[in-house]
Amino acid sequence: MKSVFASIIFILASTSAFAANKDCTASKKTVAQIEQLRIIDLPYKVIEVKTVEALVTDKCLKSRLSNEEIYNLSQLLLSHEYSQDSADQIINEFLAQ
């Protein structure tokens, strides 16, 4: 009986943790870092690496996205096509997909 109860508690905790991760978004610190990287005058590769690094160190993004998705998001953030959009807007639209 105790193991059944423990299993139910574990399942409920896992479900609520998953739901919490689904609702989270990038921190203000991460968004600010990326906004700075988008305007700084450094070689593209340096900016690309630092952008991926900022995304990976964000707990919410790391929990929600695979490494491939993080790389794809970094490419969107640095693309000329989305240069008029804010980093926050790009991240939120990416997470909504």
Side-chain angles (χ1 to χ4, degrees):
M1 187 66 171
K2 285 184 180 180
S3 65
V4 172
F5 182 70
S7 297
I8 292 171
I9 296 296
F10 177 75
I11 290 169
L12 290 174
S14 298
T15 304
S16 65
F18 177 74
N21 284 346
K22 189 176 180 186
D23 293 338
C24 70
T25 188
S27 70
K28 290 180 182 180
K29 179 182 175 186
T30 299
V31 171
Q33 285 176 330
I34 292 170
E35 288 293 359
Q36 288 177 339
L37 289 168
R38 293 175 80 196
I39 60 172
I40 199 166
D41 187 26
L42 288 173
Y44 180 81
K45 274 296 187 195
V46 172
I47 295 171
E48 181 182 43
V49 168
K50 290 185 177 286
T51 300
V52 170
E53 196 174 82
L55 295 172
V56 169
T57 58
D58 187 284
K59 290 179 184 178
C60 172
L61 295 177
K62 184 61 179 164
S63 70
R64 288 190 62 183
L65 302 174
S66 68
N67 289 339
E68 182 179 345
E69 290 171 320
I70 287 175
Y71 176 77
N72 292 339
L73 176 56
S74 73
Q75 296 306 298
L76 289 176
L77 288 162
L78 298 176
S79 73
H80 291 292
E81 185 178 339
Y82 293 98
S83 63
Q84 299 300 313
D85 298 333
S86 70
D88 196 37
Q89 181 182 1
I90 295 167
I91 292 169
N92 288 333
E93 287 177 11
F94 189 87
L95 293 174
Q97 295 179 9

Coordinates of all heavy atoms in Angstrom, one line a residue:
M1 N 0.8 -1.2 0.0 CA 0.0 0.0 0.0 C 0.9 1.3 0.0 O 0.6 2.2 -0.7 CB -0.9 0.0 1.2 CG -1.9 1.1 1.2 SD -3.1 0.8 -0.1 CE -4.3 2.0 0.2
K2 N 1.9 1.2 0.8 CA 2.8 2.4 0.9 C 3.5 2.6 -0.5 O 3.7 3.8 -0.9 CB 3.9 2.2 1.9 CG 3.4 2.4 3.3 CD 4.5 2.3 4.3 CE 3.9 2.5 5.8 NZ 5.0 2.4 6.7
S3 N 3.9 1.5 -1.2 CA 4.5 1.7 -2.5 C 3.6 2.3 -3.5 O 4.0 3.1 -4.4 CB 5.1 0.4 -3.0 OG 4.1 -0.6 -3.2
V4 N 2.3 1.9 -3.5 CA 1.3 2.5 -4.4 C 1.1 4.0 -4.1 O 1.1 4.8 -5.0 CB 0.0 1.7 -4.2 CG1 -1.1 2.4 -5.0 CG2 0.1 0.3 -4.7
F5 N 1.0 4.3 -2.8 CA 0.9 5.7 -2.5 C 2.1 6.5 -2.9 O 2.0 7.6 -3.5 CB 0.7 5.8 -0.9 CG 0.5 7.2 -0.5 CD1 -0.6 7.9 -0.8 CD2 1.5 7.9 0.3 CE1 -0.8 9.3 -0.4 CE2 1.3 9.2 0.7 CZ 0.2 9.9 0.4
A6 N 3.3 5.9 -2.7 CA 4.6 6.6 -3.1 C 4.6 6.8 -4.6 O 5.1 7.8 -5.1 CB 5.8 5.8 -2.6
S7 N 4.2 5.8 -5.3 CA 4.1 5.8 -6.8 C 3.2 6.9 -7.3 O 3.5 7.7 -8.2 CB 3.7 4.5 -7.4 OG 4.6 3.5 -7.1
I8 N 2.0 7.1 -6.6 CA 1.1 8.1 -7.0 C 1.7 9.5 -6.7 O 1.6 10.4 -7.6 CB -0.3 7.9 -6.3 CG1 -0.9 6.6 -6.8 CG2 -1.2 9.1 -6.4 CD1 -2.2 6.2 -6.0
I9 N 2.3 9.7 -5.6 CA 3.0 10.9 -5.3 C 4.0 11.3 -6.3 O 4.1 12.4 -6.8 CB 3.6 10.9 -3.8 CG1 2.5 10.7 -2.8 CG2 4.4 12.1 -3.6 CD1 1.5 11.9 -2.7
F10 N 4.9 10.3 -6.7 CA 5.9 10.5 -7.6 C 5.4 10.9 -9.0 O 5.9 11.8 -9.6 CB 6.8 9.2 -7.8 CG 7.8 9.3 -8.8 CD1 9.0 10.1 -8.6 CD2 7.7 8.7 -10.1 CE1 10.0 10.2 -9.5 CE2 8.7 8.9 -11.0 CZ 9.8 9.6 -10.8
I11 N 4.3 10.2 -9.4 CA 3.7 10.6 -10.7 C 3.1 12.0 -10.7 O 3.3 12.8 -11.6 CB 2.6 9.5 -11.1 CG1 3.2 8.2 -11.4 CG2 1.7 10.0 -12.3 CD1 2.3 7.0 -11.5
L12 N 2.4 12.3 -9.6 CA 1.9 13.7 -9.5 C 3.0 14.7 -9.5 O 2.9 15.8 -10.1 CB 1.0 13.8 -8.3 CG -0.3 13.1 -8.3 CD1 -1.0 13.1 -6.9 CD2 -1.2 13.6 -9.4
A13 N 4.1 14.5 -8.8 CA 5.2 15.4 -8.7 C 5.8 15.6 -10.1 O 6.2 16.7 -10.5 CB 6.2 14.9 -7.7
S14 N 6.0 14.4 -10.8 CA 6.6 14.5 -12.1 C 5.7 15.3 -13.1 O 6.2 16.1 -13.9 CB 6.8 13.1 -12.7 OG 7.7 12.3 -11.9
T15 N 4.4 15.1 -13.0 CA 3.5 15.7 -13.9 C 3.5 17.2 -13.6 O 3.6 18.0 -14.6 CB 2.1 15.2 -13.7 OG1 2.1 13.8 -13.9 CG2 1.1 15.8 -14.7
S16 N 3.5 17.6 -12.4 CA 3.5 19.1 -12.1 C 4.8 19.7 -12.4 O 4.9 20.8 -12.9 CB 3.2 19.3 -10.6 OG 4.1 18.8 -9.8
A17 N 5.9 19.0 -12.3 CA 7.3 19.5 -12.7 C 7.3 19.7 -14.2 O 7.8 20.7 -14.7 CB 8.4 18.6 -12.2
F18 N 6.7 18.7 -14.9 CA 6.7 18.9 -16.4 C 5.9 20.1 -16.8 O 6.2 20.9 -17.6 CB 6.2 17.6 -17.0 CG 6.0 17.7 -18.5 CD1 7.1 17.7 -19.3 CD2 4.8 17.9 -19.1 CE1 7.0 17.8 -20.7 CE2 4.6 18.0 -20.5 CZ 5.8 17.9 -21.3
A19 N 4.7 20.3 -16.1 CA 3.8 21.4 -16.5 C 4.5 22.7 -16.1 O 4.4 23.7 -16.9 CB 2.5 21.3 -15.7
A20 N 5.3 22.8 -15.0 CA 6.0 24.0 -14.7 C 7.1 24.3 -15.7 O 7.2 25.4 -16.1 CB 6.6 23.8 -13.3
N21 N 7.8 23.3 -16.2 CA 8.8 23.5 -17.2 C 8.2 24.0 -18.5 O 8.7 24.8 -19.2 CB 9.6 22.2 -17.5 CG 10.6 21.9 -16.4 OD1 10.9 22.8 -15.6 ND2 11.1 20.7 -16.4
K22 N 7.0 23.5 -18.8 CA 6.3 23.9 -20.1 C 5.9 25.3 -20.1 O 5.9 26.0 -21.1 CB 5.1 23.0 -20.3 CG 4.4 23.2 -21.6 CD 3.3 22.2 -21.8 CE 2.7 22.4 -23.2 NZ 1.5 21.7 -23.4
D23 N 5.6 25.9 -18.9 CA 5.1 27.3 -18.8 C 6.3 28.3 -18.6 O 6.1 29.5 -18.7 CB 4.2 27.4 -17.6 CG 2.9 26.6 -17.8 OD1 2.6 26.4 -19.0 OD2 2.2 26.3 -16.9
C24 N 7.5 27.8 -18.3 CA 8.6 28.8 -18.0 C 9.1 29.3 -19.3 O 8.8 28.8 -20.4 CB 9.7 28.1 -17.2 SG 10.6 26.9 -18.1
T25 N 9.8 30.4 -19.2 CA 10.4 31.1 -20.4 C 11.8 31.6 -20.0 O 12.2 31.4 -18.9 CB 9.5 32.2 -20.9 OG1 10.0 32.7 -22.1 CG2 9.4 33.3 -19.9
A26 N 12.5 32.2 -20.9 CA 13.9 32.6 -20.7 C 13.9 33.7 -19.6 O 13.0 34.5 -19.5 CB 14.5 33.2 -21.9
S27 N 14.9 33.7 -18.8 CA 15.0 34.7 -17.7 C 15.4 36.1 -18.4 O 15.9 36.2 -19.5 CB 16.1 34.3 -16.7 OG 17.4 34.4 -17.4
K28 N 15.1 37.1 -17.6 CA 15.4 38.5 -18.0 C 16.9 38.6 -18.3 O 17.4 39.3 -19.2 CB 14.9 39.5 -17.0 CG 13.4 39.6 -17.0 CD 13.0 40.6 -15.9 CE 11.5 40.6 -15.9 NZ 11.0 41.6 -14.9
K29 N 17.7 37.9 -17.4 CA 19.2 38.0 -17.6 C 19.6 37.4 -18.9 O 20.4 38.0 -19.6 CB 19.8 37.2 -16.4 CG 21.3 37.2 -16.5 CD 21.9 36.4 -15.4 CE 23.4 36.3 -15.5 NZ 24.0 35.4 -14.5
T30 N 19.0 36.2 -19.3 CA 19.4 35.6 -20.6 C 19.0 36.5 -21.7 O 19.8 36.7 -22.7 CB 18.7 34.2 -20.7 OG1 19.1 33.4 -19.6 CG2 19.0 33.6 -22.0
V31 N 17.8 37.0 -21.7 CA 17.3 37.9 -22.8 C 18.2 39.1 -22.9 O 18.6 39.5 -24.0 CB 15.8 38.3 -22.5 CG1 15.4 39.4 -23.5 CG2 14.9 37.1 -22.6
A32 N 18.6 39.7 -21.8 CA 19.5 40.9 -21.8 C 20.8 40.5 -22.4 O 21.4 41.3 -23.2 CB 19.6 41.5 -20.4
Q33 N 21.4 39.4 -22.0 CA 22.7 38.9 -22.6 C 22.6 38.8 -24.1 O 23.5 39.2 -24.8 CB 23.1 37.6 -22.0 CG 23.6 37.7 -20.6 CD 23.9 36.2 -20.1 OE1 23.3 35.3 -20.5 NE2 24.9 36.2 -19.2
I34 N 21.5 38.2 -24.6 CA 21.4 37.9 -26.0 C 21.2 39.2 -26.7 O 21.7 39.4 -27.8 CB 20.2 36.9 -26.2 CG1 20.6 35.5 -25.7 CG2 19.9 36.8 -27.7 CD1 19.6 34.5 -25.7
E35 N 20.4 40.1 -26.2 CA 20.2 41.5 -26.8 C 21.5 42.2 -27.0 O 21.8 42.8 -28.0 CB 19.2 42.3 -26.0 CG 17.8 41.9 -26.1 CD 17.1 42.0 -27.4 OE1 17.8 42.5 -28.4 OE2 15.9 41.7 -27.5
Q36 N 22.4 42.1 -26.0 CA 23.7 42.7 -26.1 C 24.6 42.0 -27.2 O 25.3 42.7 -27.9 CB 24.4 42.6 -24.7 CG 23.9 43.6 -23.7 CD 24.6 43.4 -22.4 OE1 25.2 42.4 -22.1 NE2 24.5 44.5 -21.5
L37 N 24.5 40.7 -27.2 CA 25.3 40.0 -28.2 C 24.8 40.3 -29.6 O 25.6 40.3 -30.6 CB 25.2 38.5 -28.0 CG 25.9 38.0 -26.8 CD1 25.5 36.5 -26.4 CD2 27.4 38.1 -27.0
R38 N 23.5 40.6 -29.8 CA 23.0 40.9 -31.1 C 23.5 42.2 -31.7 O 23.4 42.4 -32.9 CB 21.5 40.9 -31.1 CG 20.9 39.5 -30.8 CD 19.4 39.5 -30.7 NE 18.8 39.5 -32.0 CZ 17.5 39.8 -32.2 NH1 16.8 40.2 -31.2 NH2 17.0 39.8 -33.4
I39 N 24.0 43.1 -30.8 CA 24.4 44.4 -31.3 C 25.9 44.6 -31.2 O 26.5 45.6 -31.7 CB 23.7 45.6 -30.6 CG1 23.9 45.5 -29.1 CG2 22.2 45.5 -30.9 CD1 23.4 46.7 -28.3
I40 N 26.6 43.7 -30.5 CA 28.0 43.9 -30.2 C 28.8 43.6 -31.5 O 28.4 42.8 -32.4 CB 28.5 43.0 -29.1 CG1 29.8 43.5 -28.5 CG2 28.5 41.6 -29.5 CD1 30.1 42.9 -27.1
D41 N 30.0 44.3 -31.6 CA 30.8 44.1 -32.8 C 31.9 43.1 -32.5 O 33.0 43.5 -32.1 CB 31.4 45.5 -33.2 CG 32.1 45.4 -34.5 OD1 31.8 44.5 -35.3 OD2 33.0 46.2 -34.8
L42 N 31.6 41.8 -32.7 CA 32.6 40.8 -32.5 C 32.5 39.8 -33.7 O 31.5 39.9 -34.4 CB 32.3 40.0 -31.2 CG 32.6 40.6 -29.9 CD1 32.1 39.8 -28.8 CD2 34.1 40.9 -29.7
P43 N 33.5 39.0 -33.9 CA 33.3 38.0 -35.0 C 32.1 37.1 -34.8 O 31.7 36.8 -33.6 CB 34.6 37.1 -34.9 CG 35.6 38.0 -34.2 CD 34.8 38.9 -33.3
Y44 N 31.5 36.7 -35.9 CA 30.2 36.0 -35.8 C 30.3 34.7 -35.0 O 29.4 34.4 -34.2 CB 29.7 35.6 -37.2 CG 28.4 34.9 -37.2 CD1 27.2 35.5 -37.0 CD2 28.4 33.5 -37.3 CE1 26.0 34.8 -37.0 CE2 27.2 32.7 -37.2 CZ 26.0 33.4 -37.1 OH 24.9 32.7 -37.0
K45 N 31.4 34.0 -35.1 CA 31.6 32.7 -34.4 C 31.6 33.0 -32.9 O 31.0 32.2 -32.1 CB 32.8 32.0 -34.8 CG 32.7 31.1 -36.0 CD 31.7 30.0 -35.6 CE 31.6 28.9 -36.7 NZ 30.4 28.1 -36.5
V46 N 32.2 34.0 -32.4 CA 32.3 34.4 -31.0 C 30.8 34.7 -30.5 O 30.4 34.2 -29.5 CB 33.2 35.6 -30.7 CG1 33.1 36.0 -29.3 CG2 34.6 35.2 -31.1
I47 N 30.1 35.5 -31.3 CA 28.7 35.8 -30.9 C 27.9 34.5 -30.9 O 27.0 34.3 -30.0 CB 28.2 36.8 -31.9 CG1 28.9 38.2 -31.7 CG2 26.7 37.1 -31.6 CD1 28.6 39.2 -32.7
E48 N 28.1 33.7 -31.9 CA 27.3 32.4 -32.0 C 27.5 31.5 -30.7 O 26.6 31.1 -30.1 CB 27.7 31.7 -33.2 CG 26.9 30.4 -33.4 CD 27.3 29.6 -34.7 OE1 28.6 29.6 -34.9 OE2 26.5 29.1 -35.4
V49 N 28.8 31.4 -30.4 CA 29.1 30.5 -29.2 C 28.6 31.1 -27.9 O 28.0 30.4 -27.1 CB 30.7 30.3 -29.1 CG1 31.1 29.7 -27.8 CG2 31.2 29.5 -30.2
K50 N 28.7 32.4 -27.8 CA 28.2 33.1 -26.5 C 26.7 33.1 -26.5 O 26.1 33.0 -25.4 CB 28.7 34.5 -26.4 CG 30.2 34.6 -26.1 CD 30.7 36.0 -25.9 CE 32.1 36.1 -25.6 NZ 32.4 35.6 -24.2
T51 N 26.0 33.1 -27.6 CA 24.6 33.0 -27.6 C 24.1 31.6 -27.2 O 23.2 31.5 -26.4 CB 24.0 33.4 -29.0 OG1 24.4 34.7 -29.4 CG2 22.5 33.2 -29.1
V52 N 24.7 30.6 -27.8 CA 24.4 29.2 -27.4 C 24.7 29.0 -25.9 O 23.9 28.4 -25.2 CB 25.2 28.2 -28.2 CG1 25.0 26.8 -27.7 CG2 24.7 28.2 -29.7
E53 N 25.8 29.5 -25.4 CA 26.2 29.4 -24.0 C 25.1 30.1 -23.1 O 24.7 29.5 -22.1 CB 27.5 30.1 -23.8 CG 28.2 29.8 -22.6 CD 29.6 30.5 -22.6 OE1 29.7 31.7 -22.2 OE2 30.6 29.8 -22.9
A54 N 24.6 31.3 -23.5 CA 23.6 31.9 -22.7 C 22.3 31.1 -22.7 O 21.6 31.0 -21.7 CB 23.3 33.3 -23.3
L55 N 21.9 30.5 -23.8 CA 20.7 29.7 -23.9 C 20.8 28.4 -23.0 O 19.9 28.1 -22.3 CB 20.4 29.3 -25.3 CG 20.0 30.5 -26.2 CD1 19.9 30.0 -27.7 CD2 18.7 31.2 -25.8
V56 N 22.0 27.8 -23.1 CA 22.2 26.6 -22.4 C 22.3 26.8 -20.9 O 21.8 25.9 -20.1 CB 23.5 25.9 -22.8 CG1 23.9 24.7 -21.9 CG2 23.4 25.4 -24.2
T57 N 22.8 27.9 -20.4 CA 22.8 28.2 -19.0 C 21.5 28.7 -18.4 O 21.4 28.7 -17.2 CB 23.9 29.2 -18.7 OG1 23.7 30.4 -19.4 CG2 25.3 28.7 -19.0
D58 N 20.5 28.9 -19.2 CA 19.2 29.3 -18.7 C 18.5 28.0 -18.3 O 18.2 27.1 -19.2 CB 18.4 30.0 -19.8 CG 17.1 30.6 -19.3 OD1 16.2 29.7 -19.1 OD2 17.0 31.8 -19.0
K59 N 18.2 27.8 -17.1 CA 17.6 26.6 -16.6 C 16.3 26.2 -17.3 O 16.1 25.0 -17.6 CB 17.3 26.7 -15.1 CG 18.6 26.7 -14.3 CD 18.3 26.8 -12.8 CE 19.6 26.9 -12.0 NZ 19.4 27.1 -10.6
C60 N 15.4 27.2 -17.5 CA 14.2 26.9 -18.1 C 14.4 26.4 -19.6 O 13.8 25.4 -20.0 CB 13.3 28.1 -18.2 SG 11.8 27.9 -19.1
L61 N 15.2 27.1 -20.3 CA 15.4 26.7 -21.7 C 16.1 25.4 -21.8 O 15.7 24.6 -22.7 CB 16.2 27.8 -22.5 CG 15.5 29.2 -22.6 CD1 16.4 30.2 -23.3 CD2 14.2 29.0 -23.4
K62 N 17.0 25.1 -21.0 CA 17.7 23.9 -21.0 C 16.8 22.7 -20.7 O 16.9 21.6 -21.2 CB 18.9 23.9 -20.0 CG 19.8 22.7 -20.1 CD 20.4 22.4 -21.4 CE 21.3 21.2 -21.4 NZ 21.6 20.7 -22.7
S63 N 15.8 22.9 -19.8 CA 14.9 21.9 -19.4 C 13.9 21.6 -20.5 O 13.4 20.5 -20.6 CB 14.2 22.2 -18.1 OG 13.3 23.3 -18.2
R64 N 13.6 22.6 -21.3 CA 12.5 22.5 -22.3 C 13.0 22.1 -23.7 O 12.3 21.6 -24.5 CB 11.8 23.8 -22.4 CG 10.9 24.1 -21.3 CD 10.0 25.3 -21.5 NE 9.0 25.0 -22.6 CZ 8.2 25.9 -23.0 NH1 8.1 27.1 -22.5 NH2 7.4 25.7 -24.1
L65 N 14.3 22.5 -24.0 CA 14.8 22.3 -25.4 C 15.9 21.3 -25.4 O 16.8 21.2 -24.5 CB 15.2 23.6 -25.9 CG 14.2 24.8 -26.0 CD1 14.9 26.1 -26.4 CD2 13.0 24.4 -26.9
S66 N 16.0 20.6 -26.5 CA 17.1 19.7 -26.8 C 18.3 20.6 -27.2 O 18.2 21.8 -27.6 CB 16.8 18.7 -27.9 OG 16.6 19.4 -29.1
N67 N 19.5 20.0 -27.3 CA 20.7 20.7 -27.8 C 20.5 21.2 -29.2 O 20.9 22.3 -29.5 CB 21.9 19.9 -27.7 CG 22.4 19.7 -26.2 OD1 22.0 20.4 -25.4 ND2 23.1 18.6 -26.0
E68 N 19.9 20.4 -30.0 CA 19.6 20.8 -31.4 C 18.6 22.0 -31.5 O 18.8 22.9 -32.3 CB 19.0 19.6 -32.2 CG 18.8 19.9 -33.7 CD 18.2 18.7 -34.4 OE1 18.3 17.6 -33.9 OE2 17.8 18.9 -35.5
E69 N 17.6 21.9 -30.7 CA 16.7 23.0 -30.6 C 17.3 24.3 -30.1 O 17.0 25.4 -30.6 CB 15.4 22.7 -29.7 CG 14.6 21.6 -30.4 CD 13.5 21.1 -29.4 OE1 13.8 21.0 -28.2 OE2 12.4 20.9 -29.8
I70 N 18.2 24.2 -29.1 CA 18.9 25.4 -28.6 C 19.8 26.0 -29.7 O 19.8 27.2 -29.9 CB 19.7 25.0 -27.4 CG1 18.8 24.8 -26.2 CG2 20.8 26.1 -27.1 CD1 19.5 24.3 -24.9
Y71 N 20.5 25.1 -30.5 CA 21.3 25.6 -31.6 C 20.4 26.3 -32.7 O 20.7 27.4 -33.1 CB 22.1 24.5 -32.3 CG 22.9 24.9 -33.4 CD1 24.0 25.6 -33.3 CD2 22.4 24.7 -34.7 CE1 24.8 26.1 -34.4 CE2 23.1 25.1 -35.8 CZ 24.3 25.8 -35.7 OH 25.0 26.2 -36.7
N72 N 19.3 25.7 -33.0 CA 18.3 26.3 -34.0 C 17.8 27.6 -33.5 O 17.7 28.6 -34.3 CB 17.2 25.3 -34.3 CG 17.6 24.1 -35.0 OD1 18.7 24.1 -35.7 ND2 16.8 23.1 -34.9
L73 N 17.5 27.7 -32.2 CA 17.0 29.0 -31.6 C 18.1 30.0 -31.7 O 17.9 31.2 -32.1 CB 16.6 28.8 -30.2 CG 16.2 30.0 -29.4 CD1 15.1 30.8 -30.1 CD2 15.7 29.7 -28.0
S74 N 19.4 29.6 -31.5 CA 20.5 30.6 -31.5 C 20.6 31.1 -33.0 O 20.9 32.3 -33.1 CB 21.8 30.0 -31.0 OG 22.3 29.1 -32.0
Q75 N 20.4 30.3 -33.9 CA 20.5 30.7 -35.3 C 19.4 31.7 -35.7 O 19.7 32.7 -36.4 CB 20.5 29.5 -36.3 CG 21.7 28.6 -36.1 CD 23.0 29.3 -36.2 OE1 23.3 29.8 -37.3 NE2 23.8 29.2 -35.1
L76 N 18.2 31.5 -35.2 CA 17.1 32.4 -35.4 C 17.4 33.8 -34.7 O 17.2 34.8 -35.3 CB 15.8 31.9 -34.8 CG 15.2 30.7 -35.5 CD1 13.9 30.3 -34.8 CD2 14.8 31.1 -37.0
L77 N 18.0 33.7 -33.5 CA 18.3 35.0 -32.8 C 19.3 35.8 -33.5 O 19.3 37.0 -33.4 CB 18.8 34.6 -31.4 CG 17.7 34.2 -30.4 CD1 18.3 33.5 -29.2 CD2 16.8 35.3 -30.0
L78 N 20.2 35.1 -34.2 CA 21.3 35.9 -34.9 C 21.1 36.1 -36.4 O 21.9 36.8 -37.1 CB 22.6 35.0 -34.8 CG 23.1 34.9 -33.3 CD1 24.3 34.0 -33.3 CD2 23.4 36.2 -32.7
S79 N 19.9 35.6 -36.9 CA 19.7 35.8 -38.3 C 19.2 37.2 -38.7 O 18.6 37.9 -37.8 CB 18.6 34.8 -38.8 OG 17.3 35.2 -38.3
H80 N 19.6 37.6 -39.9 CA 19.2 39.0 -40.3 C 17.6 39.1 -40.5 O 17.1 40.1 -40.3 CB 19.9 39.3 -41.6 CG 21.3 39.5 -41.5 ND1 21.9 40.6 -40.8 CD2 22.4 38.8 -41.9 CE1 23.2 40.5 -40.8 NE2 23.5 39.4 -41.4
E81 N 17.0 37.9 -40.8 CA 15.6 37.9 -41.0 C 14.8 38.3 -39.8 O 13.7 38.9 -39.9 CB 15.2 36.5 -41.4 CG 13.8 36.3 -41.8 CD 13.4 34.9 -42.2 OE1 14.4 34.1 -42.6 OE2 12.3 34.5 -42.2
Y82 N 15.4 38.0 -38.6 CA 14.7 38.4 -37.4 C 15.3 39.5 -36.6 O 15.1 39.7 -35.5 CB 14.6 37.1 -36.5 CG 13.7 36.1 -37.0 CD1 14.3 35.0 -37.7 CD2 12.3 36.1 -36.9 CE1 13.5 34.0 -38.3 CE2 11.5 35.1 -37.4 CZ 12.1 34.1 -38.1 OH 11.3 33.1 -38.6
S83 N 16.2 40.3 -37.3 CA 16.9 41.3 -36.6 C 16.1 42.4 -36.0 O 16.5 43.1 -35.1 CB 18.0 41.9 -37.5 OG 17.4 42.5 -38.7
Q84 N 14.9 42.6 -36.6 CA 14.0 43.7 -36.1 C 13.2 43.2 -34.9 O 12.6 44.0 -34.2 CB 13.0 44.2 -37.2 CG 13.8 44.8 -38.4 CD 14.6 46.0 -38.0 OE1 14.1 46.8 -37.3 NE2 15.9 46.0 -38.4
D85 N 13.1 41.9 -34.6 CA 12.4 41.4 -33.5 C 13.2 41.3 -32.3 O 14.4 41.2 -32.4 CB 11.9 40.0 -33.8 CG 10.9 39.9 -35.0 OD1 10.2 40.9 -35.2 OD2 10.8 38.9 -35.7
S86 N 12.6 41.4 -31.1 CA 13.4 41.4 -29.9 C 13.7 39.9 -29.6 O 13.0 39.0 -30.0 CB 12.6 41.9 -28.7 OG 11.5 41.1 -28.4
A87 N 14.8 39.7 -28.8 CA 15.2 38.4 -28.4 C 14.1 37.7 -27.6 O 13.8 36.5 -27.8 CB 16.5 38.4 -27.6
D88 N 13.4 38.4 -26.8 CA 12.3 37.9 -26.0 C 11.2 37.4 -26.9 O 10.6 36.3 -26.7 CB 11.8 39.0 -25.0 CG 10.9 38.4 -23.9 OD1 11.2 37.3 -23.4 OD2 10.0 39.1 -23.5
Q89 N 10.8 38.2 -27.9 CA 9.8 37.8 -28.8 C 10.2 36.5 -29.6 O 9.4 35.6 -29.8 CB 9.5 38.9 -29.8 CG 8.4 38.7 -30.8 CD 8.3 39.8 -31.8 OE1 9.0 40.8 -31.7 NE2 7.3 39.7 -32.7
I90 N 11.4 36.4 -30.1 CA 11.9 35.3 -30.9 C 11.8 34.0 -30.0 O 11.4 33.0 -30.4 CB 13.3 35.5 -31.4 CG1 13.2 36.7 -32.4 CG2 13.8 34.3 -32.1 CD1 14.6 37.2 -32.8
I91 N 12.3 34.2 -28.8 CA 12.4 33.0 -27.8 C 11.0 32.5 -27.5 O 10.7 31.3 -27.6 CB 13.1 33.4 -26.6 CG1 14.6 33.5 -26.9 CG2 13.0 32.3 -25.5 CD1 15.4 34.2 -25.7
N92 N 10.1 33.5 -27.2 CA 8.7 33.1 -26.9 C 8.0 32.4 -28.0 O 7.2 31.5 -27.9 CB 7.9 34.3 -26.3 CG 8.4 34.7 -24.9 OD1 8.9 33.8 -24.2 ND2 8.2 35.9 -24.6
E93 N 8.2 32.9 -29.2 CA 7.6 32.3 -30.4 C 8.1 30.9 -30.7 O 7.4 30.0 -31.1 CB 7.7 33.2 -31.7 CG 6.9 34.5 -31.6 CD 7.1 35.4 -32.8 OE1 7.8 35.0 -33.8 OE2 6.6 36.5 -32.8
F94 N 9.4 30.8 -30.5 CA 10.1 29.5 -30.7 C 9.5 28.5 -29.6 O 9.2 27.3 -30.0 CB 11.6 29.6 -30.5 CG 12.3 28.4 -30.9 CD1 12.7 28.2 -32.2 CD2 12.7 27.4 -29.9 CE1 13.4 27.0 -32.6 CE2 13.3 26.3 -30.3 CZ 13.7 26.1 -31.6
L95 N 9.4 28.9 -28.4 CA 8.8 28.0 -27.4 C 7.4 27.7 -27.6 O 6.9 26.6 -27.2 CB 9.0 28.6 -26.0 CG 10.4 28.8 -25.5 CD1 10.5 29.5 -24.2 CD2 11.1 27.4 -25.4
A96 N 6.6 28.5 -28.2 CA 5.2 28.3 -28.5 C 5.0 27.3 -29.6 O 3.9 26.7 -29.7 CB 4.5 29.6 -28.9
Q97 N 6.0 27.0 -30.4 CA 5.8 26.0 -31.5 C 5.6 24.6 -31.0 O 6.1 24.1 -30.1 CB 7.0 26.0 -32.4 CG 7.2 27.3 -33.1 CD 8.5 27.3 -34.0 OE1 9.1 26.2 -34.2 NE2 8.8 28.4 -34.5

